Amino acid sequence: MALTLAEKIIQSHIVPQGGSTFEPGIPIKRGTDIALRIDQTLTQDATGTMAYLQFETIGIPRIKTELSVSYVDHNTLQTDFRNMDDHRYLQSVAAKYGLYFSRPGNGICHQVHLEHFGIPGKTLLGSDSHTPTGGGIGMIAIGAGGLDVAVAMGGGAFHLAMPKIFCVKLTGRLRKGVSAKDIILEVLRRESVKGGIGAIYEYTGDGATSLTVPQRATITNMGAELGATCSIFPSDATTKKFLTAMGRGRDWNELKADDDAVYDKIIEIDLSTLRPLAACPHMPDNVKAVSELAGKPVTQIVIGSCTNSSLDDLETVAAIVKGKHIAPGLEAGIAPGSRTTLMMAEKAGILGDLIKAGFRILESACGPCIGMGFAPNSNGITLRTFNRNFKGRSGTADAEVFLVSPETAAASAVTGVFTAADTIDYSDPAFATGLRISLLDGKDFRLASGEVTESALDSQMILPPLPEKDAALIEIKRGPNIKPCPPCPEPATELKLPVLLKTGDNISTDDIMPAGAKVLPLRSNIPEISKFAFSRIDRTFYERAEKINFSGCIVIGGENYGQGSSREHAALAPMYLGVRAVIAKSFARIHKANLVNYGIIPITFENPADYDKIKENDTVEITGIFESLKSRTPFTISVHSAGSTSTITGKNTLSERESRILENGGLAPYTRKGGN
């Protein structure tokens, strides 16, 4: 039978479990529990410190993956000792256990991995939700919690339900001033932030062939906002050109779906009909045409993040702003995605054009995307080429954050108001900037010509693994802020606990555990970071949990609870504060897995209307938990409210393995007892 590209890669990486077998060439039934062999892993410093603390407890002397990389790209704003202490810990761990180490300043993990390590057809598991960026070169690249990544580094398989495969068929070509960012915004407009839960988006068609690798990576990166497991493009001649330009032509191999592959859904987009789009506050799927916003004043522009910080992006921006200057009263910053990109931009003259136009050059790191500097003004309107615009994520609680393409950001930077880049007269001599304008027409000229590959080959800021005999002598460096991961609570067959918090729909992991310059340095110290848990929803949560001595509580959620980042701290901190179960209308994939990993039971309302029957401070009683886990049957829930009691049913959406993990109190104790 014919297979999709995603099915081909998944089938080639299946690890048989418990006698289960999959027949090669036959599609795996959707929803079937599968285990994947992981070829590569990546971590970043905001999640990596905890991941490696957990890896140390496994007791394995050296990683067992083909390649693993520890990146430093999040906590680079060093206002005191804590972030650099984490960097030193991460470098020593990488040296001891056989990982590559990408030093601070080398760039954002997803961009650097694409340039230096990604290989078509391989599997990549990363402790960052935007790991699917690797799908831009034909990888099955999946974001997960740090504990799942630690297990994979130790040789364990990654478990998930076989996703549905959605085909996005692209036809036609992009108009000038319209970009790959507009493609993924259009998909988000149609599908929503929960439309991709339990699915892989596979891009096909002549329109897909016309896109450069950086353009493809923009789409696969931001596919995470759909709630998708991952997204993927074929590996074709364009992929080969990119890898060759990066000095890695040997890593290329051709990969594509069979012509008659069957998909669970087909979405068709004619690229020639697209116009510039913007995701409006405060959700990536709140998408409008830029023409609807035209003329709206803007106070800040930021270009960068793992979504739009490639040479393609910088070159396009430089083409638009060359010979011009950012508007008065507006601040503009640009963060190259990697040291490689920065050096290439400098050599090509792009960097000088951006500086002359008034852009502030920021560090090659995540920075403003996670609220680490360059926050907008109060009540500010900021246009960002990022992937998320959750309320408060920018570092300014009342700012309005719009997600746009580099083209729209550049045009708006010059005019000072929302300006659609396709309204610019590109025949104007002011835009006749030679080779650089070619990128506005979708052509990857400089990488195609190999003009700047010398810089691309520079890997001085990546430290390779040490030989085993040398690694054994390494002493791991631990600063005073690095604390052990707290243990999970003992599993209970029944719970009778107060509802300490009730939330609405689309609660993000930013809402559960904020990032930003104040909180991120505490990522390796769970007792301290827990003081900020749920603070964006209810500032009194920690105080109220402390008042009952962290003895146990339940959280109620709406649709798509836990969307966004893969940060396991959004499960770890609630676990530390006593959260034992979350009952919600639906869960985001990664957060649900993280809850299970830390012994918190995720329960879905059988009847979504039952959400309205539970109020904050009610008492919820869940009985027969072990029986429900063993038999994978619904949970029986009693709600005690103001002298009355009602009974509702909780849907059990747990896999057999997830049930076993919860029976053992979490993934760490389950693994120590020989679970796989």
Side-chain angles (χ1 to χ4, degrees), residues 29-252:
K29 183 180 177 181
R30 307 306 191 237
T32 302
D33 294 338
I34 59 173
L36 293 183
R37 183 183 78 254
I38 298 300
D39 300 317
Q40 301 182 353
T41 68
L42 68 78
T43 60
Q44 37 90 340
D45 47 316
T47 58
T49 308
M50 194 56 59
Y52 295 114
L53 286 168
Q54 293 157 340
F55 180 79
E56 286 185 82
T57 67
I58 296 174
I60 295 172
R62 198 169 180 86
I63 61 163
K64 295 186 177 181
T65 49
E66 293 178 7
L67 175 146
S68 288
V69 190
S70 174
Y71 292 93
V72 175
D73 58 7
H74 278 58
N75 290 350
T76 59
L77 186 62
Q78 294 163 226
T79 57
D80 62 23
F81 65 90
R82 291 175 295 186
N83 283 346
M84 188 170 176
D85 276 1
D86 282 356
H87 301 169
R88 287 166 59 79
Y89 168 79
L90 292 169
Q91 183 172 340
S92 63
V93 165
K96 189 168 188 65
Y97 292 109
L99 292 89
Y100 285 87
F101 180 72
S102 179
R103 300 167 68 183
N106 193 49
I108 303 171
C109 58
H110 311 299
Q111 173 100 1
V112 178
H113 206 87
L114 202 71
E115 293 168 348
H116 290 270
F117 297 111
I119 299 175
K122 296 290 187 180
T123 54
L124 169 66
L125 193 70
S127 64
D128 189 286
S129 57
H130 291 111
T131 300
T133 305
I137 56 171
M139 301 183 78
I140 289 292
I142 301 174
L147 185 50
D148 282 315
V149 176
V151 169
M153 287 190 293
F158 177 65
H159 296 255
L160 74 163
M162 178 64 196
K164 294 171 284 188
I165 315 291
F166 295 164
C167 172
V168 184
K169 185 178 181 181
L170 305 179
T171 58
R173 291 181 66 88
L174 292 171
R175 300 168 71 247
K176 287 182 178 179
V178 184
S179 77
K181 186 61 160 279
D182 300 307
I183 299 173
I184 188 59
L185 287 175
E186 172 64 12
V187 178
L188 274 158
R189 186 187 69 79
R190 297 189 191 187
E191 294 283 280
S192 86
V193 292
K194 58 188 178 187
I197 294 175
I200 293 173
Y201 286 79
E202 187 167 312
Y203 289 80
T204 68
D206 293 341
T209 305
S210 72
L211 300 176
T212 67
V213 165
Q215 289 173 321
R216 298 174 185 187
T218 289
I219 293 169
T220 56
N221 172 286
M222 204 165 169
E225 311 324 315
L226 295 160
T229 302
C230 63
S231 302
I232 191 169
F233 277 81
S235 173
D236 55 14
T238 300
T239 316
K240 182 178 182 179
K241 180 177 68 175
F242 174 82
L243 290 173
T244 300
M246 293 294 112
R248 299 198 298 117
R250 65 188 181 282
D251 288 336
W252 179 77

Side-chain angles (χ1 to χ4, degrees), residues 279-615:
C280 303
H282 296 284
M283 203 58 61
D285 62 356
N286 185 18
V287 176
K288 292 183 180 180
V290 174
S291 59
E292 296 179 53
L293 305 163
K296 186 180 179 71
V298 176
T299 57
Q300 187 196 61
I301 301 283
V302 197
I303 296 166
S305 89
C306 55
T307 317
N308 280 117
S309 57
S310 68
L311 186 66
D312 272 31
D313 299 313
L314 271 59
E315 192 163 20
T316 300
V317 171
I320 293 174
V321 303
K322 183 177 175 67
K324 304 174 182 63
H325 202 277
I326 62 171
L330 179 146
E331 292 190 10
I334 195 159
S338 68
R339 180 172 176 264
T340 293
T341 295
L342 181 63
M343 294 172 69
M344 293 164 78
E346 188 276 330
K347 182 173 182 179
I350 295 167
L351 197 59
D353 289 342
L354 296 171
I355 294 171
K356 289 174 186 175
F359 280 90
R360 292 161 60 183
I361 307 301
L362 310 178
E363 186 175 15
S364 294
C366 298
C369 184
I370 51 168
M372 295 290 273
F374 216 77
N377 58 296
S378 57
N379 294 303
I381 296 176
T382 175
L383 273 57
R384 299 178 163 219
T385 66
F386 301 171
N387 40 44
R388 290 182 179 144
N389 59 343
F390 303 144
K391 187 175 178 63
R393 181 179 169 93
S394 67
T396 303
D398 59 3
E400 293 186 34
V401 179
F402 294 81
L403 306 177
V404 299
S405 69
E407 290 87 341
T408 295
S412 303
V414 171
T415 62
V417 297
F418 261 97
T419 304
D422 65 343
T423 63
I424 294 175
D425 180 7
Y426 289 106
S427 64
D428 187 323
F431 289 98
T433 55
L435 301 177
R436 203 167 300 147
I437 198 69
S438 66
L439 277 177
L440 294 171
D441 218 359
K443 297 174 184 175
D444 192 3
F445 182 87
R446 291 186 181 276
L447 290 181
S449 68
E451 180 182 343
V452 286
T453 55
E454 180 183 340
S455 296
L457 297 175
D458 187 323
S459 57
Q460 296 288 321
M461 293 288 280
I462 300 175
L463 303 180
L466 289 178
E468 285 193 59
K469 61 181 179 61
D470 297 326
L473 303 176
I474 294 293
E475 181 180 349
I476 294 177
K477 298 178 173 64
R478 305 178 199 276
N481 187 53
I482 298 176
K483 307 296 182 185
C485 182
C488 297
E490 288 296 319
T493 190
E494 61 181 51
L495 297 171
K496 187 174 183 180
L497 299 169
V499 174
L500 215 58
L501 185 67
K502 184 175 182 179
T503 74
D505 294 341
N506 295 320
I507 292 299
S508 72
T509 48
D510 281 78
D511 295 320
I512 301 169
M513 179 46 62
K518 184 177 180 179
V519 180
L520 275 177
L522 301 172
R523 285 297 180 93
S524 53
N525 188 332
I526 299 304
E528 284 301 309
I529 202 171
S530 296
K531 295 176 181 178
F532 296 89
F534 297 108
S535 58
R536 287 189 180 168
I537 304 169
D538 182 349
R539 292 182 179 276
T540 70
F541 184 85
Y542 179 84
E543 179 183 334
R544 293 187 293 118
E546 186 180 39
K547 191 172 181 178
I548 60 174
N549 297 315
F550 311 126
S551 57
C553 63
I554 287 173
V555 169
I556 305 299
E559 295 279 2
N560 200 25
Y561 181 85
Q563 69 159 328
S565 165
S566 68
R567 63 191 71 164
E568 62 188 344
H569 295 74
L572 250 172
M575 179 272 286
Y576 180 78
L577 298 181
V579 176
R580 302 299 301 275
V582 177
I583 309 173
K585 293 180 182 178
S586 65
F587 291 89
R589 175 188 65 85
I590 300 177
H591 186 62
K592 179 189 173 187
N594 284 339
L595 291 174
V596 170
N597 286 349
Y598 289 101
I600 299 174
I601 307 171
I603 301 173
T604 307
F605 287 104
E606 181 76 45
N607 179 3
D610 287 338
Y611 168 88
D612 297 320
K613 296 180 180 179
I614 305 178
K615 301 186 297 296

